[in-house]
Amino acid sequence: MVKFAAVHMGFSGSPPPYLSLVAANSSGGEGLGNTTKKPVAAAAFMRGASFASGGSGVLDSTGDTINMTKQIEYFSDLKDQMLTARLGAFGASAFLSKSIFLISAGSNDAIDFFSQDTSPDSTALQQFREAVVSTYDSHVKTLYNLGARKFAVIDVAPLGCCPYWRSRNPAGECVEPLNRLAKSLNDGLQDLFAGLSSEMHGMEYAIGSSYELVSSIVQDPQSAGLTELKSACCGGGGRFNADGGCTPSASYCGDRGKFLFWDFLHPTQATSRLAGRAFYDGPARFVGPITFRELAEA
């Protein structure tokens, strides 16, 4: 989804990973751990960088990867050691105020939480929601203090409709408790950004709803040009082809362009392309309070 949103904004695709740029431009070539970067290499970062890490979440306890706190620390390094060195403090601030900060997080947090207890009580649900939203709040405020002003956000999809979770439902339908959890996080996200935008001068935001986008496809797949909603295109066989990930020995579909899901959790490029278009300049059901296009032009 991020790739296609970036394409609509005029980029060739998602920006390169930050750490790959650091490795390529580190003084002496010592690799990823080197933090002595050449100021002249700042030009490589001027078109953007990705700090994403697969499996990470809003909460630092989610996944076994580079957590969001560390990702933001990397961005702080980029600002101080690259952008400021090239543009000066005022120039770097002006540059960042016009940049788009795209955040897509929360799904892995929800999956980790639900995997530990598929029948959580109301207290556990409330505590989890509050933890995610308050941590999200802290991350956004840190980014704002580092110069971010324009936030493009992608919310949590209806995770219960993924092949993995459908395969664990005897009826083969979406796992609605997980979907309700995702919806609750999204409601908290909406309230959070509405509040922050009124508190923090110059902040603007747009939230692309992967929840509504996927839900609309499930409700009317023909309008989206898709025919297979339940099974993974690439997977380890079994029910809904969800018994394993997409590996060299996996079972692979004949026409991935007709599938909603690529593997047991992730969407196909066809789905992501639809999302990118909807978030960039789609109707209010899929993006708001403004579109990604309007955010970029603001």
Side-chain angles (χ1 to χ4, degrees):
M1 294 182 184
V2 172
K3 170 187 174 181
F4 291 105
V7 168
H8 281 291
M9 292 182 187
F11 296 88
S12 59
S14 298
Y18 167 76
L19 288 179
S20 72
L21 294 173
V22 171
N25 295 293
S26 292
S27 177
E30 286 87 351
L32 301 181
N34 187 290
T35 57
T36 308
K37 297 177 272 291
K38 303 174 184 177
V40 71
F45 295 91
M46 298 299 289
R47 291 283 287 174
S50 172
F51 301 88
S53 184
S56 64
V58 176
L59 302 175
D60 287 348
S61 58
T62 296
D64 184 18
T65 182
I66 302 171
N67 61 45
M68 191 175 287
T69 296
K70 187 63 178 179
Q71 292 171 35
I72 295 173
E73 288 177 6
Y74 282 147
F75 166 66
S76 181
D77 289 344
L78 183 152
K79 177 190 175 183
D80 293 341
Q81 300 178 30
M82 292 293 180
L83 297 180
T84 301
R86 183 181 179 87
L87 303 174
F90 179 81
S93 294
F95 180 82
L96 291 174
S97 71
K98 299 176 183 178
S99 301
I100 300 293
F101 288 75
L102 197 153
I103 305 174
S104 178
S107 294
N108 290 326
D109 302 284
I111 289 172
D112 278 11
F113 173 78
F114 196 77
S115 296
Q116 296 171 31
D117 183 0
T118 57
S119 301
D121 60 30
S122 59
T123 299
L125 287 169
Q126 182 65 19
Q127 290 175 342
F128 172 71
R129 181 180 185 271
E130 290 176 353
V132 172
V133 173
S134 65
T135 306
Y136 215 128
D137 174 89
S138 177
H139 289 324
V140 172
K141 286 178 178 175
T142 300
L143 287 170
Y144 179 88
N145 290 333
L146 288 170
R149 293 296 182 268
K150 296 183 178 184
F151 293 87
V153 180
I154 298 176
D155 72 7
V156 181
L159 302 168
C161 294
C162 295
Y164 175 83
W165 291 104
R166 280 186 185 269
S167 71
R168 277 144 183 79
N169 183 344
E173 299 302 324
C174 299
V175 176
E176 291 305 328
L178 181 52
N179 284 350
R180 287 194 293 271
L181 175 61
K183 186 66 166 59
S184 176
L185 291 179
N186 292 340
D187 290 344
L189 191 64
Q190 291 280 355
D191 292 342
L192 170 66
F193 274 88
L196 289 176
S197 66
S198 66
E199 297 171 11
M200 301 194 295
H201 178 72
M203 176 185 169
E204 298 181 83
Y205 73 97
I207 299 178
S209 181
S210 58
Y211 192 99
E212 289 297 329
L213 190 282
V214 172
S215 295
S216 74
I217 294 174
V218 171
Q219 292 164 5
D220 185 11
Q222 290 186 337
S223 294
L226 304 181
T227 57
E228 178 51 61
L229 306 179
K230 296 183 178 182
S231 294
C233 172
C234 185
R239 198 177 188 208
F240 303 130
N241 202 20
D243 281 356
C246 187
T247 66
S249 61
S251 172
Y252 175 68
C253 69
D255 187 358
R256 62 186 179 183
K258 298 297 184 181
F259 277 63
L260 174 58
F261 291 100
W262 168 247
D263 62 12
F264 57 18
L265 286 176
H266 302 100
T268 57
Q269 278 199 341
T271 305
S272 295
R273 185 178 291 108
L274 291 169
R277 185 183 307 122
F279 300 164
Y280 180 71
D281 200 19
R285 178 181 178 183
F286 302 135
V287 61
I290 59 176
T291 66
F292 283 14
R293 176 183 62 79
E294 292 168 325
L295 181 68
E297 294 174 352

